[in-house]
């Protein structure tokens, strides 16, 4: 997709916010009601989602892998040291420094455009997918639909599902797209609505596209050029926008500082 086409897609995506306020189809906590929910959702979505994208929705299945992952996020309860050990913090720093040196022109371009230095971008990239090594193998549409149906965070993921359907129309997602268990895709694991809002055009399976999009996300969450990003500093709030878990936020800030401080 061209950048112009992607900008037109983003402009057209305003309906997602409107959709988030609509009465939701009946949520559930087991697979038993998922097929009926899809029919209810499709009926409500007519006029706001295309027939083709709703046909793609009908092909989804209840993702037990997604529900298992959603109920088992225990690592966010660890201490910072435990979390870094579990996620391979030292490896992220060493590999991040090497990638920063190997791709100096790319990171200089990103910093010039968005004001975001390499460190936090590399920390996010390493933390999310091991620098692209593990992007997930769960069907993306099934994951997002399952979480939109599941009662725990139905409203949030209903919004994500409308965004995913828009991305299907644009060819950014297909019924075969696979990614992480909560519907995240690409090198830095964007949810569908973030692809619409902050994606710079092109596939997030391209590392440069994903890194530019991540910098755009941080800028969109208030990143200030040249300001610090440790806890208590101006840009830490932008990192908080990336992930709600406090230990994750502190890990990104710490690892990014070590990468930038080489």
């Amino acid at each position: 997709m061209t950048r112009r086409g992607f900008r037109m897609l983003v402009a057209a995506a305003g309906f997602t916010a409107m959709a988030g306020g609509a009465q939701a189809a009946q949520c559930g906590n087991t697979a038993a009601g998922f097929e009926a929910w899809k029919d209810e959702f499709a009926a409500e979505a007519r006029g706001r989602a295309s027939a083709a994208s709703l046909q793609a929705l009908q092909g989804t299945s209840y993702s037990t892998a997604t529900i298992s992952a959603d109920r088992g996020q225990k690592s966010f309860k660890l201490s910072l040291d435990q979390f870094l050990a579990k996620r391979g913090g030292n490896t992220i720093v060493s590999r991040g420094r090497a990638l920063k040196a190997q791709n100096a022109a790319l990171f200089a371009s990103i910093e010039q455009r968005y004001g975001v230095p390499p460190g936090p971008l590399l920390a996010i990239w390493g933390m999310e997918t091991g620098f692209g090594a593990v992007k997930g193998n769960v069907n993306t549409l099934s994951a997002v639909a399952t979480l939109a149906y599941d009662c725990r965070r139905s409203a949030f993921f209903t919004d994500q599902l409308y965004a995913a359907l828009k991305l299907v129309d644009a060819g950014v997602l297909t019924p075969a797209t696979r990614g992480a268990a909560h519907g995240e895709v690409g090198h830095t694991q964007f949810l569908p609505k973030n692809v619409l809002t902050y994606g710079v055009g092109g596939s997030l399976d391209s590392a440069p596209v994903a890194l530019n999009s991540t910098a755009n996300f941080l800028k969109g969450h208030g990143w200030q050029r040249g300001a610090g990003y440790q806890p208590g500093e101006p840009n830490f709030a932008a990192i908080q926008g990336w992930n709600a878990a406090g230990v994750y936020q502190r890990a990104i800030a710490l690892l990014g500082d070590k990468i930038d401080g080489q």
Side-chain angles (χ1 to χ4, degrees), residues 14-94:
F15 83 98
T16 57
M18 177 181 68
Q23 181 65 37
Q26 182 62 48
C27 69
N29 293 310
T30 70
F34 184 66
E35 294 301 318
W37 172 87
K38 287 194 297 185
D39 291 338
E40 292 175 14
F41 182 90
E44 293 172 5
R46 290 190 186 102
R48 289 177 276 152
S50 72
S53 67
L54 291 174
Q55 184 62 40
L57 173 65
Q58 289 298 331
T60 62
S61 57
Y62 185 82
S63 177
T64 55
T66 291
I67 294 300
S68 178
D70 192 59
R71 303 295 191 264
Q73 301 182 71
K74 297 179 181 178
S75 65
F76 291 149
K77 298 179 181 179
L78 299 174
S79 70
L80 179 59
D81 287 344
Q82 291 170 329
F83 184 77
L84 289 170
K86 184 177 180 65
R87 293 296 187 100
N90 290 336
T91 300
I92 290 173
V93 170
S94 61

Side-chain angles (χ1 to χ4, degrees), residues 141-243:
L141 284 179
S142 290
V144 178
T146 296
L147 291 169
Y149 160 69
D150 185 64
C151 290
R152 194 167 88 87
R153 288 187 286 171
S154 180
F156 177 83
F157 279 99
T158 294
D159 227 16
Q160 297 295 334
L161 181 55
Y162 273 106
L165 296 178
K166 192 69 179 175
L167 292 170
V168 168
D169 285 334
V172 176
L173 297 179
T174 75
T177 299
R178 304 185 83 81
H182 287 77
E184 309 97 322
V185 295
H187 278 268
T188 54
Q189 303 287 269
F190 267 43
L191 285 168
K193 194 170 181 181
N194 285 337
V195 177
L196 282 176
T197 307
Y198 302 107
V200 298
S203 171
L204 272 76
D205 284 329
S206 161
V209 171
L211 292 166
N212 272 277
S213 298
T214 304
N216 193 33
F217 177 100
L218 293 173
K219 182 180 179 182
H221 283 74
W223 191 278
Q224 300 175 32
R225 185 184 299 272
Y229 55 84
Q230 297 307 299
E233 295 182 324
N235 287 328
F236 189 67
I239 292 175
Q240 289 177 306
W242 181 264
N243 189 292

